[in-house]
Short mmCIF file of all heavy atoms in Angstrom, two decimals:
data_model
loop_
_atom_site.label_atom_id
_atom_site.label_comp_id
_atom_site.label_asym_id
_atom_site.label_seq_id
_atom_site.Cartn_x
_atom_site.Cartn_y
_atom_site.Cartn_z
N MET P 115 0.82 -1.19 0.00
CA MET P 115 0.00 0.00 0.00
C MET P 115 0.87 1.26 0.00
O MET P 115 0.54 2.22 -0.70
CB MET P 115 -0.93 0.00 1.21
CG MET P 115 -1.99 -1.06 1.16
SD MET P 115 -2.94 -1.04 2.70
CE MET P 115 -4.37 -1.93 2.18
N ILE P 116 1.94 1.22 0.76
CA ILE P 116 2.85 2.37 0.80
C ILE P 116 3.50 2.57 -0.56
O ILE P 116 3.62 3.70 -1.05
CB ILE P 116 3.91 2.19 1.90
CG1 ILE P 116 3.23 2.21 3.26
CG2 ILE P 116 5.00 3.24 1.80
CD1 ILE P 116 4.12 1.74 4.40
N THR P 117 3.88 1.48 -1.20
CA THR P 117 4.51 1.57 -2.51
C THR P 117 3.56 2.16 -3.53
O THR P 117 3.95 3.01 -4.34
CB THR P 117 5.01 0.19 -2.97
OG1 THR P 117 5.92 -0.32 -2.00
CG2 THR P 117 5.68 0.26 -4.33
N LEU P 118 2.31 1.74 -3.50
CA LEU P 118 1.31 2.31 -4.42
C LEU P 118 1.24 3.83 -4.24
O LEU P 118 1.25 4.57 -5.22
CB LEU P 118 -0.06 1.69 -4.18
CG LEU P 118 -0.22 0.20 -4.47
CD1 LEU P 118 -1.63 -0.26 -4.09
CD2 LEU P 118 0.09 -0.13 -5.91
N THR P 119 1.16 4.26 -3.00
CA THR P 119 1.06 5.69 -2.72
C THR P 119 2.30 6.45 -3.20
O THR P 119 2.18 7.53 -3.79
CB THR P 119 0.85 5.93 -1.21
OG1 THR P 119 -0.30 5.20 -0.79
CG2 THR P 119 0.65 7.39 -0.90
N ALA P 120 3.48 5.90 -2.96
CA ALA P 120 4.71 6.57 -3.39
C ALA P 120 4.76 6.68 -4.91
O ALA P 120 5.18 7.72 -5.45
CB ALA P 120 5.93 5.81 -2.86
N LEU P 121 4.35 5.64 -5.59
CA LEU P 121 4.36 5.68 -7.06
C LEU P 121 3.39 6.72 -7.59
O LEU P 121 3.69 7.43 -8.56
CB LEU P 121 4.05 4.29 -7.63
CG LEU P 121 5.12 3.23 -7.38
CD1 LEU P 121 4.61 1.85 -7.75
CD2 LEU P 121 6.39 3.56 -8.14
N ILE P 122 2.22 6.81 -6.96
CA ILE P 122 1.24 7.83 -7.36
C ILE P 122 1.80 9.22 -7.12
O ILE P 122 1.72 10.11 -7.98
CB ILE P 122 -0.08 7.64 -6.60
CG1 ILE P 122 -0.73 6.31 -6.98
CG2 ILE P 122 -1.03 8.81 -6.86
CD1 ILE P 122 -1.82 5.86 -6.04
N ALA P 123 2.40 9.42 -5.95
CA ALA P 123 2.92 10.75 -5.59
C ALA P 123 3.98 11.23 -6.57
O ALA P 123 4.08 12.43 -6.83
CB ALA P 123 3.50 10.71 -4.18
N HIS P 124 4.73 10.31 -7.12
CA HIS P 124 5.81 10.69 -8.04
C HIS P 124 5.45 10.53 -9.51
O HIS P 124 6.28 10.74 -10.38
CB HIS P 124 7.07 9.90 -7.70
CG HIS P 124 7.66 10.32 -6.39
ND1 HIS P 124 8.39 11.47 -6.23
CD2 HIS P 124 7.57 9.76 -5.16
CE1 HIS P 124 8.74 11.60 -4.97
NE2 HIS P 124 8.25 10.58 -4.29
N GLY P 125 4.20 10.12 -9.78
CA GLY P 125 3.73 10.03 -11.16
C GLY P 125 4.28 8.86 -11.96
O GLY P 125 4.32 8.92 -13.18
N HIS P 126 4.66 7.81 -11.29
CA HIS P 126 5.22 6.63 -11.96
C HIS P 126 4.11 5.64 -12.29
O HIS P 126 4.00 4.56 -11.70
CB HIS P 126 6.29 5.97 -11.09
CG HIS P 126 7.44 6.86 -10.78
ND1 HIS P 126 8.31 7.31 -11.74
CD2 HIS P 126 7.85 7.41 -9.61
CE1 HIS P 126 9.22 8.08 -11.18
NE2 HIS P 126 8.96 8.16 -9.87
N TYR P 127 3.29 5.99 -13.28
CA TYR P 127 2.09 5.21 -13.54
C TYR P 127 2.36 3.88 -14.24
O TYR P 127 1.60 2.92 -14.03
CB TYR P 127 1.08 6.05 -14.31
CG TYR P 127 0.70 7.28 -13.53
CD1 TYR P 127 1.08 8.54 -13.94
CD2 TYR P 127 0.00 7.16 -12.33
CE1 TYR P 127 0.77 9.66 -13.20
CE2 TYR P 127 -0.32 8.28 -11.57
CZ TYR P 127 0.07 9.52 -12.01
OH TYR P 127 -0.22 10.63 -11.26
N ASP P 128 3.40 3.78 -15.07
CA ASP P 128 3.73 2.48 -15.66
C ASP P 128 4.14 1.50 -14.57
O ASP P 128 3.74 0.34 -14.57
CB ASP P 128 4.86 2.62 -16.69
CG ASP P 128 4.39 3.35 -17.94
OD1 ASP P 128 3.18 3.31 -18.24
OD2 ASP P 128 5.24 3.97 -18.61
N GLU P 129 4.93 1.98 -13.65
CA GLU P 129 5.35 1.16 -12.51
C GLU P 129 4.15 0.84 -11.61
O GLU P 129 4.06 -0.25 -11.04
CB GLU P 129 6.43 1.91 -11.72
CG GLU P 129 7.13 1.09 -10.70
CD GLU P 129 8.26 0.23 -11.26
OE1 GLU P 129 8.60 0.37 -12.44
OE2 GLU P 129 8.78 -0.58 -10.49
N LEU P 130 3.23 1.78 -11.50
CA LEU P 130 2.04 1.57 -10.68
C LEU P 130 1.24 0.38 -11.18
O LEU P 130 0.77 -0.43 -10.39
CB LEU P 130 1.16 2.83 -10.68
CG LEU P 130 -0.17 2.71 -9.93
CD1 LEU P 130 0.06 2.49 -8.44
CD2 LEU P 130 -1.01 3.96 -10.18
N ALA P 131 1.11 0.24 -12.48
CA ALA P 131 0.37 -0.89 -13.05
C ALA P 131 0.96 -2.21 -12.58
O ALA P 131 0.23 -3.13 -12.16
CB ALA P 131 0.37 -0.81 -14.58
N MET P 132 2.27 -2.32 -12.62
CA MET P 132 2.94 -3.54 -12.18
C MET P 132 2.64 -3.81 -10.69
O MET P 132 2.39 -4.95 -10.29
CB MET P 132 4.45 -3.43 -12.39
CG MET P 132 5.21 -4.67 -11.97
SD MET P 132 6.98 -4.51 -12.24
CE MET P 132 7.43 -3.36 -10.97
N HIS P 133 2.65 -2.77 -9.88
CA HIS P 133 2.44 -2.95 -8.45
C HIS P 133 0.97 -3.19 -8.10
O HIS P 133 0.69 -3.83 -7.07
CB HIS P 133 3.02 -1.77 -7.68
CG HIS P 133 4.51 -1.86 -7.57
ND1 HIS P 133 5.13 -2.62 -6.60
CD2 HIS P 133 5.50 -1.33 -8.33
CE1 HIS P 133 6.45 -2.54 -6.76
NE2 HIS P 133 6.68 -1.76 -7.81
N VAL P 134 0.06 -2.72 -8.92
CA VAL P 134 -1.36 -3.07 -8.71
C VAL P 134 -1.52 -4.57 -8.94
O VAL P 134 -2.19 -5.26 -8.17
CB VAL P 134 -2.29 -2.24 -9.63
CG1 VAL P 134 -3.70 -2.81 -9.62
CG2 VAL P 134 -2.30 -0.78 -9.19
N ARG P 135 -0.89 -5.09 -9.99
CA ARG P 135 -0.94 -6.54 -10.23
C ARG P 135 -0.33 -7.31 -9.05
O ARG P 135 -0.88 -8.31 -8.59
CB ARG P 135 -0.18 -6.90 -11.51
CG ARG P 135 -0.90 -6.51 -12.77
CD ARG P 135 -0.13 -6.95 -14.03
NE ARG P 135 -0.63 -6.22 -15.16
CZ ARG P 135 -0.09 -5.11 -15.65
NH1 ARG P 135 1.01 -4.61 -15.12
NH2 ARG P 135 -0.63 -4.51 -16.69
N ALA P 136 0.79 -6.82 -8.57
CA ALA P 136 1.45 -7.47 -7.42
C ALA P 136 0.57 -7.40 -6.17
O ALA P 136 0.49 -8.37 -5.41
CB ALA P 136 2.81 -6.83 -7.15
N ALA P 137 -0.09 -6.29 -5.97
CA ALA P 137 -0.97 -6.14 -4.81
C ALA P 137 -2.10 -7.18 -4.87
O ALA P 137 -2.45 -7.79 -3.86
CB ALA P 137 -1.55 -4.72 -4.76
N ARG P 138 -2.65 -7.38 -6.06
CA ARG P 138 -3.71 -8.39 -6.20
C ARG P 138 -3.17 -9.79 -5.92
O ARG P 138 -3.79 -10.56 -5.22
CB ARG P 138 -4.31 -8.33 -7.62
CG ARG P 138 -5.15 -7.10 -7.87
CD ARG P 138 -6.44 -7.10 -7.07
NE ARG P 138 -7.28 -8.20 -7.56
CZ ARG P 138 -7.95 -9.03 -6.78
NH1 ARG P 138 -7.91 -8.90 -5.46
NH2 ARG P 138 -8.68 -9.99 -7.30
N ARG P 139 -1.99 -10.10 -6.44
CA ARG P 139 -1.39 -11.42 -6.19
C ARG P 139 -1.10 -11.64 -4.72
O ARG P 139 -1.11 -12.77 -4.23
CB ARG P 139 -0.08 -11.57 -6.99
CG ARG P 139 -0.27 -11.92 -8.44
CD ARG P 139 1.02 -12.36 -9.09
NE ARG P 139 2.12 -11.45 -8.91
CZ ARG P 139 2.40 -10.41 -9.69
NH1 ARG P 139 1.63 -10.13 -10.72
NH2 ARG P 139 3.43 -9.64 -9.45
N ASN P 140 -0.86 -10.55 -4.00
CA ASN P 140 -0.55 -10.65 -2.57
C ASN P 140 -1.77 -10.49 -1.68
O ASN P 140 -1.64 -10.33 -0.47
CB ASN P 140 0.54 -9.63 -2.20
CG ASN P 140 1.88 -10.09 -2.70
OD1 ASN P 140 2.38 -11.11 -2.26
ND2 ASN P 140 2.46 -9.35 -3.64
N GLY P 141 -2.96 -10.51 -2.27
CA GLY P 141 -4.17 -10.58 -1.48
C GLY P 141 -4.99 -9.31 -1.31
O GLY P 141 -6.04 -9.35 -0.68
N LEU P 142 -4.54 -8.17 -1.82
CA LEU P 142 -5.37 -6.98 -1.72
C LEU P 142 -6.57 -7.11 -2.64
O LEU P 142 -6.44 -7.60 -3.77
CB LEU P 142 -4.58 -5.72 -2.09
CG LEU P 142 -3.98 -4.94 -0.92
CD1 LEU P 142 -2.86 -5.75 -0.29
CD2 LEU P 142 -3.50 -3.60 -1.38
N THR P 143 -7.71 -6.69 -2.17
CA THR P 143 -8.92 -6.71 -2.98
C THR P 143 -8.97 -5.43 -3.84
O THR P 143 -8.30 -4.43 -3.50
CB THR P 143 -10.18 -6.76 -2.11
OG1 THR P 143 -10.28 -5.53 -1.37
CG2 THR P 143 -10.15 -7.96 -1.16
N PRO P 144 -9.78 -5.45 -4.89
CA PRO P 144 -9.96 -4.21 -5.65
C PRO P 144 -10.46 -3.06 -4.77
O PRO P 144 -10.04 -1.91 -4.96
CB PRO P 144 -10.98 -4.59 -6.72
CG PRO P 144 -10.71 -6.05 -6.96
CD PRO P 144 -10.41 -6.59 -5.57
N ASP P 145 -11.33 -3.36 -3.81
CA ASP P 145 -11.81 -2.31 -2.91
C ASP P 145 -10.69 -1.73 -2.05
O ASP P 145 -10.65 -0.52 -1.81
CB ASP P 145 -12.92 -2.83 -2.00
CG ASP P 145 -14.24 -3.03 -2.75
OD1 ASP P 145 -14.41 -2.45 -3.85
OD2 ASP P 145 -15.10 -3.76 -2.23
N GLU P 146 -9.79 -2.58 -1.59
CA GLU P 146 -8.66 -2.09 -0.78
C GLU P 146 -7.73 -1.24 -1.62
O GLU P 146 -7.24 -0.19 -1.17
CB GLU P 146 -7.91 -3.26 -0.16
CG GLU P 146 -8.71 -3.96 0.93
CD GLU P 146 -8.11 -5.28 1.38
OE1 GLU P 146 -7.45 -5.97 0.58
OE2 GLU P 146 -8.31 -5.61 2.57
N ILE P 147 -7.49 -1.65 -2.84
CA ILE P 147 -6.66 -0.84 -3.74
C ILE P 147 -7.33 0.50 -3.99
O ILE P 147 -6.68 1.55 -3.96
CB ILE P 147 -6.38 -1.60 -5.05
CG1 ILE P 147 -5.49 -2.82 -4.77
CG2 ILE P 147 -5.73 -0.69 -6.09
CD1 ILE P 147 -5.38 -3.80 -5.92
N GLY P 148 -8.64 0.46 -4.22
CA GLY P 148 -9.38 1.70 -4.42
C GLY P 148 -9.29 2.63 -3.23
O GLY P 148 -9.20 3.86 -3.38
N ALA P 149 -9.31 2.07 -2.03
CA ALA P 149 -9.20 2.90 -0.82
C ALA P 149 -7.84 3.58 -0.75
O ALA P 149 -7.75 4.75 -0.36
CB ALA P 149 -9.43 2.04 0.42
N VAL P 150 -6.79 2.88 -1.13
CA VAL P 150 -5.45 3.48 -1.17
C VAL P 150 -5.45 4.65 -2.16
O VAL P 150 -4.93 5.74 -1.86
CB VAL P 150 -4.38 2.44 -1.55
CG1 VAL P 150 -3.03 3.12 -1.79
CG2 VAL P 150 -4.26 1.39 -0.46
N LEU P 151 -6.03 4.42 -3.33
CA LEU P 151 -6.04 5.47 -4.35
C LEU P 151 -6.87 6.66 -3.90
O LEU P 151 -6.49 7.81 -4.12
CB LEU P 151 -6.57 4.91 -5.67
CG LEU P 151 -5.83 3.71 -6.25
CD1 LEU P 151 -6.41 3.33 -7.60
CD2 LEU P 151 -4.35 3.96 -6.36
N LEU P 152 -7.98 6.41 -3.23
CA LEU P 152 -8.82 7.49 -2.72
C LEU P 152 -8.07 8.33 -1.69
O LEU P 152 -8.11 9.56 -1.72
CB LEU P 152 -10.10 6.92 -2.13
CG LEU P 152 -11.15 7.93 -1.71
CD1 LEU P 152 -11.60 8.78 -2.89
CD2 LEU P 152 -12.35 7.21 -1.10
N GLN P 153 -7.37 7.67 -0.79
CA GLN P 153 -6.59 8.40 0.22
C GLN P 153 -5.47 9.20 -0.44
O GLN P 153 -5.12 10.28 0.03
CB GLN P 153 -6.00 7.43 1.25
CG GLN P 153 -7.03 6.87 2.19
CD GLN P 153 -7.66 7.96 3.05
OE1 GLN P 153 -6.98 8.76 3.67
NE2 GLN P 153 -8.97 7.97 3.08
N SER P 154 -4.92 8.68 -1.53
CA SER P 154 -3.84 9.42 -2.20
C SER P 154 -4.36 10.74 -2.75
O SER P 154 -3.60 11.70 -2.85
CB SER P 154 -3.20 8.57 -3.31
OG SER P 154 -4.07 8.43 -4.42
N ALA P 155 -5.64 10.81 -3.10
CA ALA P 155 -6.20 12.07 -3.59
C ALA P 155 -6.07 13.16 -2.55
O ALA P 155 -5.75 14.31 -2.88
CB ALA P 155 -7.67 11.87 -3.97
N VAL P 156 -6.27 12.81 -1.30
CA VAL P 156 -6.19 13.79 -0.21
C VAL P 156 -4.76 14.26 -0.02
O VAL P 156 -4.50 15.45 0.17
CB VAL P 156 -6.74 13.18 1.09
CG1 VAL P 156 -6.55 14.12 2.26
CG2 VAL P 156 -8.20 12.79 0.93
N TYR P 157 -3.82 13.34 -0.09
CA TYR P 157 -2.44 13.66 0.29
C TYR P 157 -1.52 14.04 -0.86
O TYR P 157 -0.54 14.75 -0.64
CB TYR P 157 -1.84 12.50 1.10
CG TYR P 157 -2.54 12.36 2.42
CD1 TYR P 157 -3.54 11.42 2.62
CD2 TYR P 157 -2.25 13.23 3.47
CE1 TYR P 157 -4.20 11.32 3.83
CE2 TYR P 157 -2.92 13.15 4.68
CZ TYR P 157 -3.89 12.19 4.85
OH TYR P 157 -4.56 12.11 6.04
N VAL P 158 -1.81 13.56 -2.08
CA VAL P 158 -0.92 13.91 -3.19
C VAL P 158 -1.64 14.62 -4.32
O VAL P 158 -1.00 15.03 -5.28
CB VAL P 158 -0.14 12.68 -3.73
CG1 VAL P 158 0.68 12.05 -2.65
CG2 VAL P 158 -1.05 11.68 -4.38
N GLY P 159 -2.94 14.75 -4.23
CA GLY P 159 -3.68 15.53 -5.21
C GLY P 159 -4.65 14.71 -6.05
O GLY P 159 -4.39 13.55 -6.37
N VAL P 160 -5.75 15.36 -6.39
CA VAL P 160 -6.80 14.70 -7.15
C VAL P 160 -6.34 14.32 -8.56
O VAL P 160 -6.63 13.22 -9.02
CB VAL P 160 -8.07 15.57 -7.17
CG1 VAL P 160 -9.12 15.02 -8.12
CG2 VAL P 160 -8.64 15.69 -5.76
N PRO P 161 -5.62 15.18 -9.29
CA PRO P 161 -5.19 14.78 -10.63
C PRO P 161 -4.32 13.51 -10.62
O PRO P 161 -4.51 12.63 -11.47
CB PRO P 161 -4.39 15.98 -11.14
CG PRO P 161 -4.98 17.15 -10.41
CD PRO P 161 -5.29 16.61 -9.03
N ALA P 162 -3.43 13.40 -9.66
CA ALA P 162 -2.60 12.20 -9.56
C ALA P 162 -3.45 10.98 -9.24
O ALA P 162 -3.26 9.90 -9.82
CB ALA P 162 -1.52 12.39 -8.49
N ALA P 163 -4.39 11.13 -8.34
CA ALA P 163 -5.27 10.02 -7.99
C ALA P 163 -6.15 9.61 -9.16
O ALA P 163 -6.37 8.42 -9.40
CB ALA P 163 -6.13 10.38 -6.78
N ASN P 164 -6.64 10.58 -9.92
CA ASN P 164 -7.44 10.25 -11.10
C ASN P 164 -6.64 9.44 -12.11
O ASN P 164 -7.15 8.48 -12.69
CB ASN P 164 -7.99 11.52 -11.75
CG ASN P 164 -9.13 12.12 -10.96
OD1 ASN P 164 -9.75 11.47 -10.13
ND2 ASN P 164 -9.41 13.39 -11.23
N SER P 165 -5.40 9.83 -12.32
CA SER P 165 -4.54 9.06 -13.23
C SER P 165 -4.31 7.65 -12.69
O SER P 165 -4.33 6.68 -13.44
CB SER P 165 -3.20 9.77 -13.41
OG SER P 165 -3.38 11.01 -14.05
N ALA P 166 -4.13 7.54 -11.39
CA ALA P 166 -3.91 6.24 -10.76
C ALA P 166 -5.15 5.36 -10.88
O ALA P 166 -5.04 4.16 -11.14
CB ALA P 166 -3.52 6.42 -9.30
N PHE P 167 -6.33 5.96 -10.71
CA PHE P 167 -7.56 5.19 -10.87
C PHE P 167 -7.68 4.64 -12.29
O PHE P 167 -8.11 3.50 -12.48
CB PHE P 167 -8.80 6.04 -10.52
CG PHE P 167 -9.20 5.97 -9.08
CD1 PHE P 167 -9.06 7.07 -8.25
CD2 PHE P 167 -9.74 4.81 -8.54
CE1 PHE P 167 -9.43 7.02 -6.92
CE2 PHE P 167 -10.12 4.74 -7.21
CZ PHE P 167 -9.97 5.85 -6.40
N ALA P 168 -7.31 5.44 -13.28
CA ALA P 168 -7.38 4.98 -14.67
C ALA P 168 -6.45 3.79 -14.88
O ALA P 168 -6.83 2.80 -15.53
CB ALA P 168 -7.02 6.13 -15.62
N VAL P 169 -5.25 3.86 -14.34
CA VAL P 169 -4.30 2.75 -14.45
C VAL P 169 -4.86 1.52 -13.75
O VAL P 169 -4.86 0.41 -14.31
CB VAL P 169 -2.93 3.13 -13.85
CG1 VAL P 169 -2.02 1.92 -13.73
CG2 VAL P 169 -2.27 4.22 -14.68
N ALA P 170 -5.33 1.69 -12.53
CA ALA P 170 -5.84 0.54 -11.76
C ALA P 170 -7.05 -0.08 -12.43
O ALA P 170 -7.17 -1.31 -12.48
CB ALA P 170 -6.17 0.98 -10.34
N GLN P 171 -7.94 0.74 -12.96
CA GLN P 171 -9.12 0.19 -13.64
C GLN P 171 -8.71 -0.65 -14.84
O GLN P 171 -9.27 -1.72 -15.08
CB GLN P 171 -10.06 1.31 -14.06
CG GLN P 171 -10.82 1.90 -12.90
CD GLN P 171 -11.67 3.08 -13.30
OE1 GLN P 171 -11.41 3.76 -14.29
NE2 GLN P 171 -12.71 3.34 -12.51
N ARG P 172 -7.72 -0.19 -15.59
CA ARG P 172 -7.22 -0.94 -16.75
C ARG P 172 -6.65 -2.28 -16.30
O ARG P 172 -6.95 -3.33 -16.87
CB ARG P 172 -6.17 -0.13 -17.50
CG ARG P 172 -5.58 -0.85 -18.69
CD ARG P 172 -4.62 0.01 -19.48
NE ARG P 172 -3.68 0.80 -18.69
CZ ARG P 172 -2.52 0.33 -18.24
NH1 ARG P 172 -2.15 -0.91 -18.45
NH2 ARG P 172 -1.71 1.11 -17.55
N VAL P 173 -5.83 -2.24 -15.26
CA VAL P 173 -5.19 -3.47 -14.76
C VAL P 173 -6.23 -4.44 -14.21
O VAL P 173 -6.20 -5.64 -14.51
CB VAL P 173 -4.14 -3.14 -13.68
CG1 VAL P 173 -3.66 -4.38 -12.96
CG2 VAL P 173 -2.97 -2.38 -14.29
N LEU P 174 -7.17 -3.93 -13.43
CA LEU P 174 -8.18 -4.81 -12.85
C LEU P 174 -9.12 -5.38 -13.92
O LEU P 174 -9.60 -6.50 -13.79
CB LEU P 174 -8.97 -4.07 -11.77
CG LEU P 174 -8.12 -3.66 -10.55
CD1 LEU P 174 -8.94 -2.78 -9.62
CD2 LEU P 174 -7.58 -4.87 -9.82
N ALA P 175 -9.35 -4.62 -14.98
CA ALA P 175 -10.18 -5.12 -16.08
C ALA P 175 -9.49 -6.29 -16.79
O ALA P 175 -10.16 -7.19 -17.29
CB ALA P 175 -10.48 -4.00 -17.07
N GLU P 176 -8.16 -6.28 -16.82
CA GLU P 176 -7.41 -7.38 -17.43
C GLU P 176 -7.70 -8.69 -16.71
O GLU P 176 -7.66 -9.75 -17.32
CB GLU P 176 -5.90 -7.11 -17.38
CG GLU P 176 -5.44 -6.00 -18.26
CD GLU P 176 -3.98 -5.64 -18.01
OE1 GLU P 176 -3.32 -6.25 -17.14
OE2 GLU P 176 -3.50 -4.71 -18.70
N GLU P 177 -7.96 -8.63 -15.39
CA GLU P 177 -8.25 -9.83 -14.62
C GLU P 177 -9.53 -10.50 -15.07
O GLU P 177 -9.64 -11.71 -14.99
CB GLU P 177 -8.39 -9.49 -13.13
CG GLU P 177 -7.12 -9.16 -12.43
CD GLU P 177 -7.36 -8.96 -10.93
OE1 GLU P 177 -8.52 -8.88 -10.48
OE2 GLU P 177 -6.37 -8.88 -10.21
N THR P 178 -10.49 -9.70 -15.50
CA THR P 178 -11.78 -10.26 -15.88
C THR P 178 -11.82 -10.72 -17.34
O THR P 178 -12.76 -11.38 -17.74
CB THR P 178 -12.92 -9.25 -15.62
OG1 THR P 178 -12.69 -8.07 -16.39
CG2 THR P 178 -12.99 -8.91 -14.14
N ASP P 179 -10.82 -10.35 -18.11
CA ASP P 179 -10.78 -10.76 -19.53
C ASP P 179 -10.32 -12.19 -19.69
O ASP P 179 -9.75 -12.82 -18.93
CB ASP P 179 -9.85 -9.84 -20.32
CG ASP P 179 -10.45 -8.44 -20.48
OD1 ASP P 179 -11.66 -8.30 -20.29
OD2 ASP P 179 -9.68 -7.52 -20.79
#
C-alpha cells in the first residue's frame, strides 16, 4: 500500500500498473486498492489520484478478460 502511494505521488504510472498486479497477487482486494487510491487524492492531489484510478481500472479489467 505504501509503494502504491509513493508511485502515485511521483507520477510513476507504468510502474504503478505492475504494483497493482502485485498487490492483487498478494491478497489486496480491488476495494482495498481503491481505498489506497482514494486516500492518495487527499495527500498527493486529485489529478494524480485520477490518473492512478485509470491505471488501476485498466489493470483490474485485465483480470476479468
Side-chain angles (χ1 to χ4, degrees):
M115 292 175 162
I116 294 167
T117 302
L118 295 176
T119 304
L121 292 170
I122 295 165
H124 291 283
H126 299 294
Y127 301 111
D128 290 333
E129 191 82 7
L130 177 65
M132 180 180 72
H133 283 277
V134 168
R135 287 183 197 95
R138 289 292 294 136
R139 280 193 308 273
N140 285 296
L142 264 68
T143 67
D145 287 341
E146 290 169 330
I147 292 168
V150 171
L151 303 184
L152 187 60
Q153 288 296 309
S154 72
V156 174
Y157 293 99
V158 301
V160 172
N164 285 342
S165 295
F167 270 111
V169 170
Q171 286 175 335
R172 179 176 44 86
V173 169
L174 295 172
E176 291 171 359
E177 287 185 350
T178 60
D179 290 342

